[in-house]
Amino acid sequence: MDRDKILAAVDHTLLGQTATWAEIKEILDDSITYNAASACIPASYVKQAKEYVGDKLPICTVIGFPNGYSTTAVKVFETKDAIENGADEIDMVINIGLVKDKKYDLVKEEIEKIHEACNGKILKVIIETCLLTEEEKIKMCEVVTESGAEYIKTSTGFSTGGATFDDIALMKKYVGPNVKIKAAGGISSLDDAAKFMELGADRLGTSRIVKIVKSGKAINDNSY
């Protein structure tokens, strides 16, 4: 798999609590330079970021992040605010406690309301795989498929673990044909990125891949 194909799947990410505008700007510049799929940044920077990049780059932000236990009303408000500020893609965190209680109808209802608030923009649903059993992961594949969301996503990167090859293979097996997969959390090499994509990931949430390429060989050198 060539390097450009990997980069085109990357949501170049900076979500640390101490992120400054100078750091966000560098993420945006590098995302444009290396033709990333999007830049995934905190909601407080979305408006400034969109004004800075215009139509050169999709802006992604996170909702209910990283714990997912905000009320649905709060998540919907966050989503509408982000879209109004210029967000092109929304990555939301599910209410994991509801999954543990097997209240899957409520989880689905929340996703549907947030998807409606996206007003046609892409919604990625973070299920935080490291906190779920295999049975819960399979059920969430079904719930996300039924909800109409565009993507299912493994992880926030802020919990006890990130994406695994097994989780991507499981998602590929159980999500519907209209749901894409985003692997996120701990993706730290081009080889791993390529394997995630070969297993079925359509997007990669990572802060490292663009930095690896930026510090290495020329972008038009597709070997690694």
Side-chain angles (χ1 to χ4, degrees), residues 68-118:
Y69 48 40
S70 301
T71 65
T72 298
V74 169
K75 290 180 181 177
V76 168
F77 178 85
E78 283 187 279
T79 301
K80 289 180 177 179
D81 184 60
I83 297 296
E84 288 173 5
N85 284 334
D88 301 288
E89 303 184 0
I90 298 293
D91 289 17
M92 65 159 284
V93 185
I94 62 165
N95 187 313
I96 298 161
L98 290 179
V99 175
K100 296 296 180 183
D101 281 337
K102 300 187 184 303
K103 295 181 178 179
Y104 297 117
D105 287 346
L106 294 180
V107 178
K108 179 186 169 188
E109 181 181 324
E110 178 174 270
I111 297 169
E112 289 172 339
K113 288 181 178 179
I114 294 169
H115 191 235
E116 182 180 0
C118 285

mmCIF file of all heavy atoms in Angstrom, residues 68-118:
data_model
loop_
_atom_site.group_PDB
_atom_site.id
_atom_site.type_symbol
_atom_site.label_atom_id
_atom_site.label_comp_id
_atom_site.label_asym_id
_atom_site.label_seq_id
_atom_site.Cartn_x
_atom_site.Cartn_y
_atom_site.Cartn_z
ATOM 1 N N GLY A 68 -18.320 10.442 26.975
ATOM 2 C CA GLY A 68 -19.578 10.043 26.356
ATOM 3 C C GLY A 68 -20.808 10.135 27.233
ATOM 4 O O GLY A 68 -21.914 9.822 26.788
ATOM 5 N N TYR A 69 -20.649 10.577 28.488
ATOM 6 C CA TYR A 69 -21.801 10.522 29.384
ATOM 7 C C TYR A 69 -22.542 11.853 29.539
ATOM 8 O O TYR A 69 -23.373 12.002 30.448
ATOM 9 C CB TYR A 69 -21.433 9.945 30.743
ATOM 10 C CG TYR A 69 -20.188 10.508 31.423
ATOM 11 C CD1 TYR A 69 -19.892 11.854 31.391
ATOM 12 C CD2 TYR A 69 -19.325 9.658 32.119
ATOM 13 C CE1 TYR A 69 -18.775 12.360 32.034
ATOM 14 C CE2 TYR A 69 -18.199 10.143 32.766
ATOM 15 C CZ TYR A 69 -17.927 11.504 32.722
ATOM 16 O OH TYR A 69 -16.821 12.002 33.360
ATOM 17 N N SER A 70 -22.298 12.809 28.672
ATOM 18 C CA SER A 70 -23.150 14.006 28.630
ATOM 19 C C SER A 70 -24.564 13.583 28.228
ATOM 20 O O SER A 70 -24.768 12.535 27.612
ATOM 21 C CB SER A 70 -22.622 15.000 27.601
ATOM 22 O OG SER A 70 -21.305 15.391 27.879
ATOM 23 N N THR A 71 -25.545 14.419 28.573
ATOM 24 C CA THR A 71 -26.907 14.105 28.138
ATOM 25 C C THR A 71 -27.011 14.246 26.627
ATOM 26 O O THR A 71 -26.209 14.928 25.982
ATOM 27 C CB THR A 71 -27.932 15.044 28.793
ATOM 28 O OG1 THR A 71 -27.689 16.383 28.331
ATOM 29 C CG2 THR A 71 -27.847 14.988 30.309
ATOM 30 N N THR A 72 -28.012 13.598 26.080
ATOM 31 C CA THR A 72 -28.231 13.686 24.636
ATOM 32 C C THR A 72 -28.448 15.131 24.211
ATOM 33 O O THR A 72 -27.937 15.575 23.171
ATOM 34 C CB THR A 72 -29.434 12.825 24.233
ATOM 35 O OG1 THR A 72 -29.156 11.459 24.540
ATOM 36 C CG2 THR A 72 -29.723 12.952 22.744
ATOM 37 N N ALA A 73 -29.182 15.889 25.012
ATOM 38 C CA ALA A 73 -29.447 17.290 24.668
ATOM 39 C C ALA A 73 -28.151 18.086 24.552
ATOM 40 O O ALA A 73 -27.994 18.924 23.654
ATOM 41 C CB ALA A 73 -30.362 17.922 25.709
ATOM 42 N N VAL A 74 -27.223 17.838 25.463
ATOM 43 C CA VAL A 74 -25.931 18.522 25.421
ATOM 44 C C VAL A 74 -25.155 18.122 24.170
ATOM 45 O O VAL A 74 -24.577 18.973 23.482
ATOM 46 C CB VAL A 74 -25.117 18.217 26.692
ATOM 47 C CG1 VAL A 74 -23.675 18.690 26.542
ATOM 48 C CG2 VAL A 74 -25.751 18.889 27.897
ATOM 49 N N LYS A 75 -25.149 16.847 23.852
ATOM 50 C CA LYS A 75 -24.429 16.380 22.664
ATOM 51 C C LYS A 75 -25.026 16.962 21.385
ATOM 52 O O LYS A 75 -24.299 17.330 20.463
ATOM 53 C CB LYS A 75 -24.441 14.854 22.598
ATOM 54 C CG LYS A 75 -23.593 14.171 23.665
ATOM 55 C CD LYS A 75 -23.677 12.652 23.515
ATOM 56 C CE LYS A 75 -22.867 11.925 24.571
ATOM 57 N NZ LYS A 75 -23.002 10.459 24.473
ATOM 58 N N VAL A 76 -26.347 17.038 21.353
ATOM 59 C CA VAL A 76 -27.010 17.624 20.180
ATOM 60 C C VAL A 76 -26.646 19.094 20.050
ATOM 61 O O VAL A 76 -26.345 19.581 18.947
ATOM 62 C CB VAL A 76 -28.540 17.428 20.269
ATOM 63 C CG1 VAL A 76 -29.254 18.284 19.224
ATOM 64 C CG2 VAL A 76 -28.894 15.958 20.070
ATOM 65 N N PHE A 77 -26.648 19.810 21.168
ATOM 66 C CA PHE A 77 -26.259 21.222 21.134
ATOM 67 C C PHE A 77 -24.825 21.379 20.656
ATOM 68 O O PHE A 77 -24.517 22.244 19.818
ATOM 69 C CB PHE A 77 -26.417 21.868 22.514
ATOM 70 C CG PHE A 77 -25.981 23.298 22.549
ATOM 71 C CD1 PHE A 77 -26.844 24.320 22.173
ATOM 72 C CD2 PHE A 77 -24.676 23.640 22.914
ATOM 73 C CE1 PHE A 77 -26.418 25.653 22.174
ATOM 74 C CE2 PHE A 77 -24.252 24.954 22.919
ATOM 75 C CZ PHE A 77 -25.122 25.961 22.551
ATOM 76 N N GLU A 78 -23.916 20.564 21.211
ATOM 77 C CA GLU A 78 -22.515 20.603 20.785
ATOM 78 C C GLU A 78 -22.396 20.386 19.285
ATOM 79 O O GLU A 78 -21.603 21.051 18.603
ATOM 80 C CB GLU A 78 -21.716 19.502 21.492
ATOM 81 C CG GLU A 78 -21.336 19.757 22.922
ATOM 82 C CD GLU A 78 -20.404 18.658 23.422
ATOM 83 O OE1 GLU A 78 -20.892 17.578 23.800
ATOM 84 O OE2 GLU A 78 -19.177 18.879 23.414
ATOM 85 N N THR A 79 -23.160 19.424 18.792
ATOM 86 C CA THR A 79 -23.101 19.093 17.370
ATOM 87 C C THR A 79 -23.571 20.260 16.514
ATOM 88 O O THR A 79 -22.910 20.641 15.543
ATOM 89 C CB THR A 79 -23.959 17.849 17.086
ATOM 90 O OG1 THR A 79 -23.476 16.753 17.863
ATOM 91 C CG2 THR A 79 -23.912 17.478 15.620
ATOM 92 N N LYS A 80 -24.718 20.814 16.855
ATOM 93 C CA LYS A 80 -25.256 21.945 16.081
ATOM 94 C C LYS A 80 -24.297 23.130 16.108
ATOM 95 O O LYS A 80 -24.080 23.801 15.088
ATOM 96 C CB LYS A 80 -26.628 22.359 16.636
ATOM 97 C CG LYS A 80 -27.725 21.345 16.354
ATOM 98 C CD LYS A 80 -29.054 21.813 16.931
ATOM 99 C CE LYS A 80 -30.172 20.840 16.603
ATOM 100 N NZ LYS A 80 -31.472 21.274 17.193
ATOM 101 N N ASP A 81 -23.720 23.396 17.275
ATOM 102 C CA ASP A 81 -22.765 24.494 17.406
ATOM 103 C C ASP A 81 -21.547 24.262 16.528
ATOM 104 O O ASP A 81 -21.079 25.173 15.828
ATOM 105 C CB ASP A 81 -22.356 24.615 18.872
ATOM 106 C CG ASP A 81 -21.428 25.786 19.131
ATOM 107 O OD1 ASP A 81 -21.818 26.942 18.866
ATOM 108 O OD2 ASP A 81 -20.288 25.544 19.596
ATOM 109 N N ALA A 82 -21.036 23.034 16.528
ATOM 110 C CA ALA A 82 -19.858 22.712 15.712
ATOM 111 C C ALA A 82 -20.157 22.856 14.227
ATOM 112 O O ALA A 82 -19.338 23.395 13.465
ATOM 113 C CB ALA A 82 -19.394 21.290 16.024
ATOM 114 N N ILE A 83 -21.322 22.383 13.813
ATOM 115 C CA ILE A 83 -21.699 22.492 12.396
ATOM 116 C C ILE A 83 -21.843 23.961 12.003
ATOM 117 O O ILE A 83 -21.375 24.394 10.939
ATOM 118 C CB ILE A 83 -23.003 21.724 12.126
ATOM 119 C CG1 ILE A 83 -22.831 20.222 12.399
ATOM 120 C CG2 ILE A 83 -23.485 21.972 10.700
ATOM 121 C CD1 ILE A 83 -21.848 19.516 11.520
ATOM 122 N N GLU A 84 -22.477 24.749 12.856
ATOM 123 C CA GLU A 84 -22.642 26.183 12.577
ATOM 124 C C GLU A 84 -21.292 26.887 12.480
ATOM 125 O O GLU A 84 -21.120 27.839 11.715
ATOM 126 C CB GLU A 84 -23.499 26.845 13.659
ATOM 127 C CG GLU A 84 -24.966 26.461 13.580
ATOM 128 C CD GLU A 84 -25.761 26.993 14.768
ATOM 129 O OE1 GLU A 84 -25.176 27.730 15.593
ATOM 130 O OE2 GLU A 84 -26.960 26.669 14.860
ATOM 131 N N ASN A 85 -20.317 26.403 13.245
ATOM 132 C CA ASN A 85 -18.981 27.001 13.227
ATOM 133 C C ASN A 85 -18.124 26.528 12.055
ATOM 134 O O ASN A 85 -17.015 27.029 11.864
ATOM 135 C CB ASN A 85 -18.256 26.708 14.534
ATOM 136 C CG ASN A 85 -18.767 27.565 15.676
ATOM 137 O OD1 ASN A 85 -19.282 28.657 15.470
ATOM 138 N ND2 ASN A 85 -18.649 27.058 16.898
ATOM 139 N N GLY A 86 -18.635 25.552 11.307
ATOM 140 C CA GLY A 86 -17.928 25.133 10.098
ATOM 141 C C GLY A 86 -17.417 23.711 10.083
ATOM 142 O O GLY A 86 -16.721 23.312 9.134
ATOM 143 N N ALA A 87 -17.745 22.913 11.100
ATOM 144 C CA ALA A 87 -17.275 21.521 11.112
ATOM 145 C C ALA A 87 -17.878 20.746 9.944
ATOM 146 O O ALA A 87 -19.064 20.880 9.636
ATOM 147 C CB ALA A 87 -17.643 20.843 12.422
ATOM 148 N N ASP A 88 -17.043 19.947 9.311
ATOM 149 C CA ASP A 88 -17.482 19.106 8.204
ATOM 150 C C ASP A 88 -17.759 17.674 8.648
ATOM 151 O O ASP A 88 -18.496 16.949 7.973
ATOM 152 C CB ASP A 88 -16.403 19.071 7.116
ATOM 153 C CG ASP A 88 -16.089 20.447 6.573
ATOM 154 O OD1 ASP A 88 -16.943 20.992 5.850
ATOM 155 O OD2 ASP A 88 -15.002 20.979 6.883
ATOM 156 N N GLU A 89 -17.158 17.262 9.756
ATOM 157 C CA GLU A 89 -17.309 15.906 10.255
ATOM 158 C C GLU A 89 -17.382 15.936 11.774
ATOM 159 O O GLU A 89 -16.707 16.740 12.421
ATOM 160 C CB GLU A 89 -16.142 15.027 9.800
ATOM 161 C CG GLU A 89 -15.987 14.994 8.284
ATOM 162 C CD GLU A 89 -14.885 14.053 7.822
ATOM 163 O OE1 GLU A 89 -14.230 13.417 8.680
ATOM 164 O OE2 GLU A 89 -14.670 13.946 6.606
ATOM 165 N N ILE A 90 -18.209 15.048 12.329
ATOM 166 C CA ILE A 90 -18.426 14.966 13.775
ATOM 167 C C ILE A 90 -18.087 13.558 14.250
ATOM 168 O O ILE A 90 -18.588 12.571 13.711
ATOM 169 C CB ILE A 90 -19.897 15.274 14.130
ATOM 170 C CG1 ILE A 90 -20.280 16.706 13.721
ATOM 171 C CG2 ILE A 90 -20.149 15.027 15.605
ATOM 172 C CD1 ILE A 90 -19.579 17.797 14.485
ATOM 173 N N ASP A 91 -17.225 13.468 15.269
ATOM 174 C CA ASP A 91 -16.919 12.202 15.919
ATOM 175 C C ASP A 91 -17.524 12.235 17.322
ATOM 176 O O ASP A 91 -17.061 12.981 18.186
ATOM 177 C CB ASP A 91 -15.406 11.976 16.016
ATOM 178 C CG ASP A 91 -14.755 11.689 14.666
ATOM 179 O OD1 ASP A 91 -15.374 11.977 13.626
ATOM 180 O OD2 ASP A 91 -13.618 11.195 14.668
ATOM 181 N N MET A 92 -18.563 11.445 17.554
ATOM 182 C CA MET A 92 -19.267 11.453 18.838
ATOM 183 C C MET A 92 -18.912 10.216 19.652
ATOM 184 O O MET A 92 -18.603 9.157 19.119
ATOM 185 C CB MET A 92 -20.780 11.489 18.636
ATOM 186 C CG MET A 92 -21.343 10.245 17.952
ATOM 187 S SD MET A 92 -23.129 9.975 18.232
ATOM 188 C CE MET A 92 -23.119 9.355 19.920
ATOM 189 N N VAL A 93 -18.972 10.356 20.981
ATOM 190 C CA VAL A 93 -18.753 9.229 21.885
ATOM 191 C C VAL A 93 -20.106 8.752 22.403
ATOM 192 O O VAL A 93 -20.914 9.550 22.875
ATOM 193 C CB VAL A 93 -17.855 9.618 23.072
ATOM 194 C CG1 VAL A 93 -17.537 8.389 23.920
ATOM 195 C CG2 VAL A 93 -16.572 10.276 22.589
ATOM 196 N N ILE A 94 -20.332 7.446 22.312
ATOM 197 C CA ILE A 94 -21.572 6.883 22.834
ATOM 198 C C ILE A 94 -21.601 6.931 24.364
ATOM 199 O O ILE A 94 -20.573 7.124 25.010
ATOM 200 C CB ILE A 94 -21.761 5.415 22.390
ATOM 201 C CG1 ILE A 94 -20.632 4.522 22.936
ATOM 202 C CG2 ILE A 94 -21.879 5.324 20.877
ATOM 203 C CD1 ILE A 94 -20.912 3.039 22.850
ATOM 204 N N ASN A 95 -22.799 6.729 24.906
ATOM 205 C CA ASN A 95 -22.947 6.572 26.354
ATOM 206 C C ASN A 95 -22.660 5.105 26.679
ATOM 207 O O ASN A 95 -23.494 4.222 26.464
ATOM 208 C CB ASN A 95 -24.357 6.965 26.790
ATOM 209 C CG ASN A 95 -24.511 6.981 28.295
ATOM 210 O OD1 ASN A 95 -24.105 6.050 28.979
ATOM 211 N ND2 ASN A 95 -25.102 8.045 28.810
ATOM 212 N N ILE A 96 -21.466 4.843 27.182
ATOM 213 C CA ILE A 96 -21.016 3.469 27.397
ATOM 214 C C ILE A 96 -21.801 2.796 28.523
ATOM 215 O O ILE A 96 -22.058 1.584 28.490
ATOM 216 C CB ILE A 96 -19.504 3.451 27.666
ATOM 217 C CG1 ILE A 96 -18.775 3.994 26.430
ATOM 218 C CG2 ILE A 96 -19.004 2.042 27.986
ATOM 219 C CD1 ILE A 96 -17.359 4.452 26.685
ATOM 220 N N GLY A 97 -22.214 3.569 29.513
ATOM 221 C CA GLY A 97 -23.026 3.012 30.591
ATOM 222 C C GLY A 97 -24.332 2.423 30.078
ATOM 223 O O GLY A 97 -24.788 1.374 30.563
ATOM 224 N N LEU A 98 -24.936 3.077 29.085
ATOM 225 C CA LEU A 98 -26.168 2.544 28.504
ATOM 226 C C LEU A 98 -25.913 1.221 27.794
ATOM 227 O O LEU A 98 -26.767 0.326 27.814
ATOM 228 C CB LEU A 98 -26.776 3.553 27.523
ATOM 229 C CG LEU A 98 -27.368 4.828 28.121
ATOM 230 C CD1 LEU A 98 -27.915 5.727 27.017
ATOM 231 C CD2 LEU A 98 -28.456 4.511 29.131
ATOM 232 N N VAL A 99 -24.748 1.102 27.167
ATOM 233 C CA VAL A 99 -24.392 -0.172 26.543
ATOM 234 C C VAL A 99 -24.272 -1.262 27.603
ATOM 235 O O VAL A 99 -24.781 -2.375 27.438
ATOM 236 C CB VAL A 99 -23.077 -0.040 25.747
ATOM 237 C CG1 VAL A 99 -22.642 -1.397 25.199
ATOM 238 C CG2 VAL A 99 -23.228 0.954 24.603
ATOM 239 N N LYS A 100 -23.599 -0.943 28.701
ATOM 240 C CA LYS A 100 -23.431 -1.918 29.788
ATOM 241 C C LYS A 100 -24.782 -2.336 30.384
ATOM 242 O O LYS A 100 -24.951 -3.476 30.821
ATOM 243 C CB LYS A 100 -22.534 -1.343 30.887
ATOM 244 C CG LYS A 100 -21.099 -1.050 30.447
ATOM 245 C CD LYS A 100 -20.365 -2.309 30.052
ATOM 246 C CE LYS A 100 -18.952 -2.040 29.615
ATOM 247 N NZ LYS A 100 -18.258 -3.275 29.172
ATOM 248 N N ASP A 101 -25.733 -1.411 30.377
ATOM 249 C CA ASP A 101 -27.084 -1.717 30.866
ATOM 250 C C ASP A 101 -27.959 -2.374 29.801
ATOM 251 O O ASP A 101 -29.141 -2.634 30.044
ATOM 252 C CB ASP A 101 -27.773 -0.434 31.351
ATOM 253 C CG ASP A 101 -27.324 -0.005 32.731
ATOM 254 O OD1 ASP A 101 -26.840 -0.868 33.493
ATOM 255 O OD2 ASP A 101 -27.451 1.198 33.049
ATOM 256 N N LYS A 102 -27.369 -2.583 28.607
ATOM 257 C CA LYS A 102 -28.078 -3.184 27.467
ATOM 258 C C LYS A 102 -29.279 -2.352 27.012
ATOM 259 O O LYS A 102 -30.259 -2.880 26.470
ATOM 260 C CB LYS A 102 -28.508 -4.621 27.793
ATOM 261 C CG LYS A 102 -27.340 -5.545 28.129
ATOM 262 C CD LYS A 102 -27.794 -6.981 28.270
ATOM 263 C CE LYS A 102 -26.645 -7.891 28.708
ATOM 264 N NZ LYS A 102 -25.475 -7.848 27.795
ATOM 265 N N LYS A 103 -29.186 -1.044 27.210
ATOM 266 C CA LYS A 103 -30.255 -0.145 26.749
ATOM 267 C C LYS A 103 -29.910 0.346 25.337
ATOM 268 O O LYS A 103 -29.703 1.529 25.085
ATOM 269 C CB LYS A 103 -30.423 1.011 27.733
ATOM 270 C CG LYS A 103 -30.911 0.543 29.101
ATOM 271 C CD LYS A 103 -31.101 1.700 30.075
ATOM 272 C CE LYS A 103 -31.632 1.206 31.419
ATOM 273 N NZ LYS A 103 -31.795 2.316 32.401
ATOM 274 N N TYR A 104 -29.849 -0.615 24.431
ATOM 275 C CA TYR A 104 -29.376 -0.337 23.078
ATOM 276 C C TYR A 104 -30.317 0.589 22.305
ATOM 277 O O TYR A 104 -29.869 1.348 21.454
ATOM 278 C CB TYR A 104 -29.180 -1.648 22.323
ATOM 279 C CG TYR A 104 -28.119 -2.536 22.926
ATOM 280 C CD1 TYR A 104 -28.448 -3.796 23.442
ATOM 281 C CD2 TYR A 104 -26.797 -2.124 23.011
ATOM 282 C CE1 TYR A 104 -27.474 -4.612 24.005
ATOM 283 C CE2 TYR A 104 -25.825 -2.936 23.572
ATOM 284 C CZ TYR A 104 -26.165 -4.167 24.068
ATOM 285 O OH TYR A 104 -25.203 -4.974 24.625
ATOM 286 N N ASP A 105 -31.614 0.523 22.616
ATOM 287 C CA ASP A 105 -32.561 1.417 21.944
ATOM 288 C C ASP A 105 -32.246 2.879 22.265
ATOM 289 O O ASP A 105 -32.361 3.751 21.389
ATOM 290 C CB ASP A 105 -33.993 1.094 22.362
ATOM 291 C CG ASP A 105 -34.501 -0.200 21.756
ATOM 292 O OD1 ASP A 105 -33.843 -0.704 20.811
ATOM 293 O OD2 ASP A 105 -35.537 -0.712 22.217
ATOM 294 N N LEU A 106 -31.857 3.143 23.522
ATOM 295 C CA LEU A 106 -31.517 4.514 23.907
ATOM 296 C C LEU A 106 -30.210 4.964 23.252
ATOM 297 O O LEU A 106 -30.070 6.130 22.869
ATOM 298 C CB LEU A 106 -31.413 4.625 25.432
ATOM 299 C CG LEU A 106 -32.709 4.416 26.216
ATOM 300 C CD1 LEU A 106 -32.457 4.547 27.714
ATOM 301 C CD2 LEU A 106 -33.783 5.404 25.773
ATOM 302 N N VAL A 107 -29.257 4.045 23.135
ATOM 303 C CA VAL A 107 -28.003 4.373 22.443
ATOM 304 C C VAL A 107 -28.290 4.721 20.991
ATOM 305 O O VAL A 107 -27.795 5.729 20.463
ATOM 306 C CB VAL A 107 -27.013 3.191 22.526
ATOM 307 C CG1 VAL A 107 -25.732 3.522 21.768
ATOM 308 C CG2 VAL A 107 -26.688 2.844 23.974
ATOM 309 N N LYS A 108 -29.099 3.914 20.348
ATOM 310 C CA LYS A 108 -29.458 4.161 18.945
ATOM 311 C C LYS A 108 -30.207 5.491 18.789
ATOM 312 O O LYS A 108 -29.930 6.272 17.874
ATOM 313 C CB LYS A 108 -30.312 3.007 18.425
ATOM 314 C CG LYS A 108 -30.769 3.177 16.982
ATOM 315 C CD LYS A 108 -31.735 2.064 16.588
ATOM 316 C CE LYS A 108 -32.390 2.361 15.256
ATOM 317 N NZ LYS A 108 -33.467 1.401 14.927
ATOM 318 N N GLU A 109 -31.124 5.744 19.701
ATOM 319 C CA GLU A 109 -31.905 6.985 19.645
ATOM 320 C C GLU A 109 -30.989 8.205 19.750
ATOM 321 O O GLU A 109 -31.169 9.192 19.025
ATOM 322 C CB GLU A 109 -32.930 6.980 20.770
ATOM 323 C CG GLU A 109 -33.819 8.221 20.797
ATOM 324 C CD GLU A 109 -34.802 8.166 21.966
ATOM 325 O OE1 GLU A 109 -35.276 7.066 22.297
ATOM 326 O OE2 GLU A 109 -35.078 9.235 22.548
ATOM 327 N N GLU A 110 -30.008 8.133 20.641
ATOM 328 C CA GLU A 110 -29.078 9.254 20.778
ATOM 329 C C GLU A 110 -28.272 9.456 19.496
ATOM 330 O O GLU A 110 -28.115 10.591 19.024
ATOM 331 C CB GLU A 110 -28.141 9.022 21.953
ATOM 332 C CG GLU A 110 -27.110 10.138 22.106
ATOM 333 C CD GLU A 110 -26.266 9.990 23.356
ATOM 334 O OE1 GLU A 110 -26.672 10.522 24.411
ATOM 335 O OE2 GLU A 110 -25.203 9.346 23.278
ATOM 336 N N ILE A 111 -27.758 8.375 18.942
ATOM 337 C CA ILE A 111 -26.985 8.492 17.698
ATOM 338 C C ILE A 111 -27.849 9.103 16.599
ATOM 339 O O ILE A 111 -27.394 9.989 15.847
ATOM 340 C CB ILE A 111 -26.445 7.120 17.260
ATOM 341 C CG1 ILE A 111 -25.479 6.553 18.304
ATOM 342 C CG2 ILE A 111 -25.740 7.233 15.902
ATOM 343 C CD1 ILE A 111 -25.109 5.099 18.077
ATOM 344 N N GLU A 112 -29.086 8.669 16.493
ATOM 345 C CA GLU A 112 -29.988 9.188 15.463
ATOM 346 C C GLU A 112 -30.224 10.690 15.627
ATOM 347 O O GLU A 112 -30.244 11.444 14.639
ATOM 348 C CB GLU A 112 -31.315 8.436 15.506
ATOM 349 C CG GLU A 112 -31.209 7.003 15.015
ATOM 350 C CD GLU A 112 -32.478 6.199 15.232
ATOM 351 O OE1 GLU A 112 -33.299 6.586 16.107
ATOM 352 O OE2 GLU A 112 -32.654 5.181 14.552
ATOM 353 N N LYS A 113 -30.382 11.133 16.878
ATOM 354 C CA LYS A 113 -30.612 12.564 17.117
ATOM 355 C C LYS A 113 -29.372 13.387 16.756
ATOM 356 O O LYS A 113 -29.489 14.485 16.192
ATOM 357 C CB LYS A 113 -31.002 12.794 18.582
ATOM 358 C CG LYS A 113 -32.405 12.313 18.908
ATOM 359 C CD LYS A 113 -32.766 12.570 20.361
ATOM 360 C CE LYS A 113 -34.197 12.129 20.654
ATOM 361 N NZ LYS A 113 -34.564 12.354 22.078
ATOM 362 N N ILE A 114 -28.211 12.867 17.084
ATOM 363 C CA ILE A 114 -26.970 13.575 16.742
ATOM 364 C C ILE A 114 -26.755 13.559 15.232
ATOM 365 O O ILE A 114 -26.342 14.569 14.648
ATOM 366 C CB ILE A 114 -25.779 12.969 17.504
ATOM 367 C CG1 ILE A 114 -25.949 13.216 19.006
ATOM 368 C CG2 ILE A 114 -24.458 13.550 17.019
ATOM 369 C CD1 ILE A 114 -24.992 12.463 19.887
ATOM 370 N N HIS A 115 -27.087 12.449 14.605
ATOM 371 C CA HIS A 115 -26.963 12.366 13.141
ATOM 372 C C HIS A 115 -27.874 13.389 12.468
ATOM 373 O O HIS A 115 -27.478 14.052 11.503
ATOM 374 C CB HIS A 115 -27.315 10.951 12.669
ATOM 375 C CG HIS A 115 -26.983 10.681 11.245
ATOM 376 N ND1 HIS A 115 -27.900 10.239 10.327
ATOM 377 C CD2 HIS A 115 -25.813 10.821 10.560
ATOM 378 C CE1 HIS A 115 -27.321 10.096 9.146
ATOM 379 N NE2 HIS A 115 -26.061 10.451 9.259
ATOM 380 N N GLU A 116 -29.074 13.528 12.993
ATOM 381 C CA GLU A 116 -29.991 14.539 12.459
ATOM 382 C C GLU A 116 -29.409 15.937 12.634
ATOM 383 O O GLU A 116 -29.493 16.786 11.729
ATOM 384 C CB GLU A 116 -31.344 14.439 13.166
ATOM 385 C CG GLU A 116 -32.378 15.424 12.644
ATOM 386 C CD GLU A 116 -33.716 15.303 13.364
ATOM 387 O OE1 GLU A 116 -33.837 14.455 14.266
ATOM 388 O OE2 GLU A 116 -34.638 16.069 13.012
ATOM 389 N N ALA A 117 -28.788 16.195 13.781
ATOM 390 C CA ALA A 117 -28.186 17.500 14.048
ATOM 391 C C ALA A 117 -26.992 17.781 13.149
ATOM 392 O O ALA A 117 -26.620 18.946 12.942
ATOM 393 C CB ALA A 117 -27.755 17.595 15.514
ATOM 394 N N CYS A 118 -26.394 16.730 12.599
ATOM 395 C CA CYS A 118 -25.258 16.906 11.684
ATOM 396 C C CYS A 118 -25.681 17.536 10.361
ATOM 397 O O CYS A 118 -24.828 18.051 9.623
ATOM 398 C CB CYS A 118 -24.588 15.560 11.417
ATOM 399 S SG CYS A 118 -23.579 14.938 12.771
#
